[in-house]
mmCIF file of all heavy atoms in Angstrom:
data_model
loop_
_atom_site.group_PDB
_atom_site.id
_atom_site.type_symbol
_atom_site.label_atom_id
_atom_site.label_comp_id
_atom_site.label_asym_id
_atom_site.label_seq_id
_atom_site.Cartn_x
_atom_site.Cartn_y
_atom_site.Cartn_z
ATOM 1 N N TRP A 1 61.587 5.124 -83.091
ATOM 2 C CA TRP A 1 61.075 6.496 -83.220
ATOM 3 C C TRP A 1 60.002 6.590 -84.205
ATOM 4 O O TRP A 1 59.053 7.447 -84.034
ATOM 5 C CB TRP A 1 62.327 7.376 -83.527
ATOM 6 C CG TRP A 1 63.179 7.727 -82.291
ATOM 7 C CD1 TRP A 1 64.449 7.301 -82.133
ATOM 8 C CD2 TRP A 1 62.791 8.557 -81.323
ATOM 9 N NE1 TRP A 1 64.834 7.855 -80.951
ATOM 10 C CE2 TRP A 1 63.862 8.632 -80.446
ATOM 11 C CE3 TRP A 1 61.661 9.280 -80.947
ATOM 12 C CZ2 TRP A 1 63.915 9.418 -79.238
ATOM 13 C CZ3 TRP A 1 61.648 10.035 -79.799
ATOM 14 C CH2 TRP A 1 62.692 10.040 -78.924
ATOM 15 N N VAL A 2 60.089 5.907 -85.263
ATOM 16 C CA VAL A 2 58.988 5.890 -86.303
ATOM 17 C C VAL A 2 57.635 5.491 -85.671
ATOM 18 O O VAL A 2 56.590 6.000 -86.008
ATOM 19 C CB VAL A 2 59.356 4.940 -87.441
ATOM 20 C CG1 VAL A 2 58.060 4.795 -88.351
ATOM 21 C CG2 VAL A 2 60.465 5.534 -88.225
ATOM 22 N N LEU A 3 57.716 4.497 -84.680
ATOM 23 C CA LEU A 3 56.514 4.061 -84.008
ATOM 24 C C LEU A 3 55.940 5.042 -83.058
ATOM 25 O O LEU A 3 54.671 5.136 -82.895
ATOM 26 C CB LEU A 3 56.700 2.715 -83.350
ATOM 27 C CG LEU A 3 57.176 1.552 -84.224
ATOM 28 C CD1 LEU A 3 57.363 0.275 -83.360
ATOM 29 C CD2 LEU A 3 55.891 1.178 -85.100
ATOM 30 N N LEU A 4 56.773 5.916 -82.629
ATOM 31 C CA LEU A 4 56.274 7.100 -81.690
ATOM 32 C C LEU A 4 55.843 8.336 -82.502
ATOM 33 O O LEU A 4 55.147 9.083 -81.863
ATOM 34 C CB LEU A 4 57.435 7.366 -80.714
ATOM 35 C CG LEU A 4 57.865 6.451 -79.743
ATOM 36 C CD1 LEU A 4 58.912 6.929 -78.868
ATOM 37 C CD2 LEU A 4 56.721 5.920 -78.917
ATOM 38 N N HIS A 5 56.334 8.404 -83.763
ATOM 39 C CA HIS A 5 56.013 9.541 -84.564
ATOM 40 C C HIS A 5 54.540 9.588 -85.083
ATOM 41 O O HIS A 5 54.063 8.426 -85.583
ATOM 42 C CB HIS A 5 57.025 9.550 -85.713
ATOM 43 C CG HIS A 5 56.888 10.830 -86.574
ATOM 44 N ND1 HIS A 5 56.940 12.044 -86.041
ATOM 45 C CD2 HIS A 5 56.747 10.842 -87.913
ATOM 46 C CE1 HIS A 5 56.813 12.953 -87.070
ATOM 47 N NE2 HIS A 5 56.653 12.279 -88.209
ATOM 48 N N VAL A 6 53.990 10.734 -85.121
ATOM 49 C CA VAL A 6 52.638 10.918 -85.768
ATOM 50 C C VAL A 6 52.901 11.809 -86.992
ATOM 51 O O VAL A 6 52.914 13.018 -86.831
ATOM 52 C CB VAL A 6 51.617 11.492 -84.840
ATOM 53 C CG1 VAL A 6 50.264 11.644 -85.477
ATOM 54 C CG2 VAL A 6 51.536 10.630 -83.600
ATOM 55 N N PRO A 7 52.988 11.248 -88.140
ATOM 56 C CA PRO A 7 53.255 12.052 -89.272
ATOM 57 C C PRO A 7 52.060 13.010 -89.685
ATOM 58 O O PRO A 7 50.978 12.646 -89.544
ATOM 59 C CB PRO A 7 53.589 11.067 -90.471
ATOM 60 C CG PRO A 7 52.828 9.781 -89.973
ATOM 61 C CD PRO A 7 52.972 9.742 -88.497
ATOM 62 N N ALA A 8 52.390 14.210 -90.093
ATOM 63 C CA ALA A 8 51.360 15.146 -90.435
ATOM 64 C C ALA A 8 51.216 15.224 -91.898
ATOM 65 O O ALA A 8 50.146 15.742 -92.280
ATOM 66 C CB ALA A 8 51.756 16.522 -89.817
ATOM 67 N N ARG A 9 52.170 14.704 -92.624
ATOM 68 C CA ARG A 9 52.015 14.909 -94.135
ATOM 69 C C ARG A 9 51.861 13.487 -94.704
ATOM 70 O O ARG A 9 52.177 12.369 -94.166
ATOM 71 C CB ARG A 9 53.380 15.369 -94.732
ATOM 72 C CG ARG A 9 53.625 16.860 -94.173
ATOM 73 C CD ARG A 9 54.840 17.405 -94.826
ATOM 74 N NE ARG A 9 55.184 18.776 -94.261
ATOM 75 C CZ ARG A 9 56.275 19.478 -94.580
ATOM 76 N NH1 ARG A 9 57.130 18.876 -95.435
ATOM 77 N NH2 ARG A 9 56.364 20.634 -94.175
ATOM 78 N N ARG A 10 51.287 13.450 -95.873
ATOM 79 C CA ARG A 10 50.995 12.222 -96.520
ATOM 80 C C ARG A 10 52.191 11.359 -96.816
ATOM 81 O O ARG A 10 52.262 10.141 -96.758
ATOM 82 C CB ARG A 10 50.258 12.455 -97.826
ATOM 83 C CG ARG A 10 49.716 11.225 -98.542
ATOM 84 C CD ARG A 10 49.035 11.526 -99.898
ATOM 85 N NE ARG A 10 47.859 12.308 -99.662
ATOM 86 C CZ ARG A 10 46.665 11.744 -99.241
ATOM 87 N NH1 ARG A 10 46.505 10.452 -99.166
ATOM 88 N NH2 ARG A 10 45.652 12.560 -99.038
ATOM 89 N N ALA A 11 53.351 12.115 -97.163
ATOM 90 C CA ALA A 11 54.567 11.367 -97.446
ATOM 91 C C ALA A 11 54.957 10.594 -96.200
ATOM 92 O O ALA A 11 55.468 9.405 -96.280
ATOM 93 C CB ALA A 11 55.701 12.367 -97.809
ATOM 94 N N GLY A 12 54.891 11.154 -95.053
ATOM 95 C CA GLY A 12 55.201 10.393 -93.794
ATOM 96 C C GLY A 12 54.284 9.226 -93.539
ATOM 97 O O GLY A 12 54.756 8.268 -93.012
ATOM 98 N N MET A 13 53.072 9.420 -93.774
ATOM 99 C CA MET A 13 52.067 8.365 -93.632
ATOM 100 C C MET A 13 52.341 7.136 -94.500
ATOM 101 O O MET A 13 52.072 6.063 -94.166
ATOM 102 C CB MET A 13 50.686 8.875 -93.875
ATOM 103 C CG MET A 13 50.238 10.001 -92.907
ATOM 104 S SD MET A 13 48.606 10.678 -93.436
ATOM 105 C CE MET A 13 48.473 12.105 -92.235
ATOM 106 N N VAL A 14 52.895 7.408 -95.683
ATOM 107 C CA VAL A 14 53.216 6.350 -96.623
ATOM 108 C C VAL A 14 54.561 5.736 -96.276
ATOM 109 O O VAL A 14 54.752 4.595 -96.281
ATOM 110 C CB VAL A 14 53.155 6.851 -98.043
ATOM 111 C CG1 VAL A 14 53.762 5.842 -99.029
ATOM 112 C CG2 VAL A 14 51.838 7.370 -98.440
ATOM 113 N N ALA A 15 55.488 6.580 -95.867
ATOM 114 C CA ALA A 15 56.930 6.129 -95.610
ATOM 115 C C ALA A 15 56.952 5.254 -94.345
ATOM 116 O O ALA A 15 57.713 4.338 -94.369
ATOM 117 C CB ALA A 15 57.821 7.409 -95.549
ATOM 118 N N ALA A 16 56.185 5.556 -93.369
ATOM 119 C CA ALA A 16 56.230 4.815 -92.093
ATOM 120 C C ALA A 16 55.973 3.365 -92.282
ATOM 121 O O ALA A 16 56.793 2.492 -91.842
ATOM 122 C CB ALA A 16 55.398 5.431 -91.053
ATOM 123 N N PRO A 17 54.851 2.913 -92.964
ATOM 124 C CA PRO A 17 54.671 1.466 -93.153
ATOM 125 C C PRO A 17 55.706 0.863 -94.006
ATOM 126 O O PRO A 17 56.069 -0.316 -93.768
ATOM 127 C CB PRO A 17 53.207 1.353 -93.769
ATOM 128 C CG PRO A 17 52.579 2.689 -93.460
ATOM 129 C CD PRO A 17 53.757 3.664 -93.386
ATOM 130 N N ILE A 18 56.148 1.503 -95.071
ATOM 131 C CA ILE A 18 57.143 0.981 -95.953
ATOM 132 C C ILE A 18 58.432 0.656 -95.151
ATOM 133 O O ILE A 18 59.104 -0.372 -95.184
ATOM 134 C CB ILE A 18 57.376 1.898 -97.137
ATOM 135 C CG1 ILE A 18 56.191 2.024 -98.034
ATOM 136 C CG2 ILE A 18 58.594 1.416 -97.935
ATOM 137 C CD1 ILE A 18 56.262 2.963 -99.142
ATOM 138 N N PHE A 19 58.834 1.736 -94.423
ATOM 139 C CA PHE A 19 60.100 1.532 -93.590
ATOM 140 C C PHE A 19 59.901 0.385 -92.622
ATOM 141 O O PHE A 19 60.833 -0.429 -92.388
ATOM 142 C CB PHE A 19 60.414 2.852 -92.875
ATOM 143 C CG PHE A 19 61.603 2.677 -92.057
ATOM 144 C CD1 PHE A 19 62.884 2.696 -92.532
ATOM 145 C CD2 PHE A 19 61.416 2.688 -90.601
ATOM 146 C CE1 PHE A 19 64.039 2.631 -91.726
ATOM 147 C CE2 PHE A 19 62.633 2.622 -89.828
ATOM 148 C CZ PHE A 19 63.924 2.544 -90.361
ATOM 149 N N SER A 20 58.868 0.331 -91.968
ATOM 150 C CA SER A 20 58.536 -0.700 -91.002
ATOM 151 C C SER A 20 58.636 -2.076 -91.551
ATOM 152 O O SER A 20 59.175 -3.026 -91.018
ATOM 153 C CB SER A 20 57.175 -0.370 -90.269
ATOM 154 O OG SER A 20 57.229 0.802 -89.719
ATOM 155 N N GLY A 21 57.969 -2.250 -92.809
ATOM 156 C CA GLY A 21 57.947 -3.596 -93.367
ATOM 157 C C GLY A 21 59.341 -3.957 -93.886
ATOM 158 O O GLY A 21 59.758 -5.165 -93.782
ATOM 159 N N LEU A 22 60.108 -2.953 -94.286
ATOM 160 C CA LEU A 22 61.511 -3.243 -94.773
ATOM 161 C C LEU A 22 62.330 -3.729 -93.594
ATOM 162 O O LEU A 22 63.111 -4.673 -93.703
ATOM 163 C CB LEU A 22 62.133 -1.974 -95.355
ATOM 164 C CG LEU A 22 63.466 -2.150 -95.962
ATOM 165 C CD1 LEU A 22 63.393 -3.156 -97.170
ATOM 166 C CD2 LEU A 22 63.911 -0.742 -96.598
ATOM 167 N N VAL A 23 62.229 -3.091 -92.402
ATOM 168 C CA VAL A 23 63.017 -3.509 -91.252
ATOM 169 C C VAL A 23 62.536 -4.865 -90.842
ATOM 170 O O VAL A 23 63.309 -5.710 -90.425
ATOM 171 C CB VAL A 23 62.867 -2.463 -90.170
ATOM 172 C CG1 VAL A 23 63.628 -2.978 -88.860
ATOM 173 C CG2 VAL A 23 63.396 -1.130 -90.497
ATOM 174 N N ALA A 24 61.252 -5.122 -90.844
ATOM 175 C CA ALA A 24 60.681 -6.391 -90.394
ATOM 176 C C ALA A 24 61.181 -7.563 -91.297
ATOM 177 O O ALA A 24 61.327 -8.740 -90.816
ATOM 178 C CB ALA A 24 59.179 -6.332 -90.404
ATOM 179 N N LEU A 25 61.378 -7.249 -92.478
ATOM 180 C CA LEU A 25 61.859 -8.302 -93.467
ATOM 181 C C LEU A 25 63.442 -8.343 -93.523
ATOM 182 O O LEU A 25 63.978 -9.071 -94.329
ATOM 183 C CB LEU A 25 61.384 -7.966 -94.877
ATOM 184 C CG LEU A 25 59.868 -8.249 -95.069
ATOM 185 C CD1 LEU A 25 59.376 -7.807 -96.390
ATOM 186 C CD2 LEU A 25 59.454 -9.714 -94.897
ATOM 187 N N SER A 26 64.058 -7.669 -92.620
ATOM 188 C CA SER A 26 65.493 -7.592 -92.548
ATOM 189 C C SER A 26 66.034 -8.188 -91.141
ATOM 190 O O SER A 26 67.182 -8.322 -91.076
ATOM 191 C CB SER A 26 66.018 -6.190 -92.776
ATOM 192 O OG SER A 26 65.538 -5.653 -94.083
ATOM 193 N N THR A 27 65.174 -8.232 -90.141
ATOM 194 C CA THR A 27 65.537 -8.757 -88.825
ATOM 195 C C THR A 27 64.434 -9.264 -88.069
ATOM 196 O O THR A 27 63.342 -8.644 -88.118
ATOM 197 C CB THR A 27 66.355 -7.680 -88.030
ATOM 198 O OG1 THR A 27 66.625 -8.091 -86.745
ATOM 199 C CG2 THR A 27 65.436 -6.363 -87.930
ATOM 200 N N THR A 28 64.546 -10.349 -87.376
ATOM 201 C CA THR A 28 63.532 -10.834 -86.529
ATOM 202 C C THR A 28 63.358 -10.131 -85.199
ATOM 203 O O THR A 28 62.380 -10.337 -84.496
ATOM 204 C CB THR A 28 63.784 -12.384 -86.225
ATOM 205 O OG1 THR A 28 65.128 -12.494 -85.693
ATOM 206 C CG2 THR A 28 63.708 -13.221 -87.502
ATOM 207 N N LEU A 29 64.294 -9.261 -84.902
ATOM 208 C CA LEU A 29 64.282 -8.588 -83.571
ATOM 209 C C LEU A 29 63.147 -7.549 -83.487
ATOM 210 O O LEU A 29 62.883 -7.062 -82.478
ATOM 211 C CB LEU A 29 65.636 -7.948 -83.370
ATOM 212 C CG LEU A 29 66.840 -8.836 -83.195
ATOM 213 C CD1 LEU A 29 68.141 -7.959 -83.043
ATOM 214 C CD2 LEU A 29 66.624 -9.641 -81.881
ATOM 215 N N VAL A 30 62.391 -7.377 -84.589
ATOM 216 C CA VAL A 30 61.341 -6.383 -84.581
ATOM 217 C C VAL A 30 60.194 -6.876 -83.663
ATOM 218 O O VAL A 30 59.296 -6.117 -83.357
ATOM 219 C CB VAL A 30 60.760 -6.139 -85.972
ATOM 220 C CG1 VAL A 30 61.803 -5.279 -86.804
ATOM 221 C CG2 VAL A 30 60.385 -7.360 -86.625
ATOM 222 N N VAL A 31 60.238 -8.213 -83.374
ATOM 223 C CA VAL A 31 59.208 -8.758 -82.408
ATOM 224 C C VAL A 31 59.186 -7.975 -81.102
ATOM 225 O O VAL A 31 58.092 -7.901 -80.504
ATOM 226 C CB VAL A 31 59.402 -10.244 -82.202
ATOM 227 C CG1 VAL A 31 59.245 -11.008 -83.508
ATOM 228 C CG2 VAL A 31 60.762 -10.573 -81.564
ATOM 229 N N ALA A 32 60.329 -7.416 -80.669
ATOM 230 C CA ALA A 32 60.394 -6.703 -79.462
ATOM 231 C C ALA A 32 59.579 -5.404 -79.548
ATOM 232 O O ALA A 32 59.312 -4.806 -78.537
ATOM 233 C CB ALA A 32 61.816 -6.415 -79.085
ATOM 234 N N LEU A 33 59.395 -4.853 -80.745
ATOM 235 C CA LEU A 33 58.698 -3.619 -81.013
ATOM 236 C C LEU A 33 57.207 -3.760 -81.352
ATOM 237 O O LEU A 33 56.512 -2.749 -81.447
ATOM 238 C CB LEU A 33 59.459 -2.835 -82.078
ATOM 239 C CG LEU A 33 60.855 -2.447 -81.725
ATOM 240 C CD1 LEU A 33 61.499 -1.723 -82.918
ATOM 241 C CD2 LEU A 33 60.806 -1.401 -80.589
ATOM 242 N N LEU A 34 56.792 -4.993 -81.504
ATOM 243 C CA LEU A 34 55.408 -5.259 -81.943
ATOM 244 C C LEU A 34 54.456 -4.717 -80.779
ATOM 245 O O LEU A 34 53.362 -4.181 -81.235
ATOM 246 C CB LEU A 34 55.185 -6.669 -82.072
ATOM 247 C CG LEU A 34 55.563 -7.265 -83.493
ATOM 248 C CD1 LEU A 34 55.387 -8.791 -83.584
ATOM 249 C CD2 LEU A 34 54.828 -6.574 -84.612
ATOM 250 N N PRO A 35 54.693 -4.841 -79.516
ATOM 251 C CA PRO A 35 53.744 -4.294 -78.570
ATOM 252 C C PRO A 35 53.608 -2.825 -78.671
ATOM 253 O O PRO A 35 52.491 -2.263 -78.509
ATOM 254 C CB PRO A 35 54.342 -4.739 -77.127
ATOM 255 C CG PRO A 35 55.172 -6.021 -77.509
ATOM 256 C CD PRO A 35 55.684 -5.775 -78.920
#
């Protein structure tokens, strides 16, 4: 859902990459969401 979301506020724009990186460093299954 974060990948589908278009944040309108700066907080969301900062939080999305941080959350994505945290998940990517916690499971290899994120490769399915790379496309």
Side-chain angles (χ1 to χ4, degrees):
W1 280 110
V2 168
L3 293 176
L4 295 181
H5 182 54
V6 180
R9 299 179 180 178
R10 186 178 298 274
M13 297 177 187
V14 174
I18 294 175
F19 176 75
S20 301
L22 186 60
V23 177
L25 289 171
S26 301
T27 174
T28 54
L29 294 174
V30 293
V31 297
L33 294 172
L34 279 175

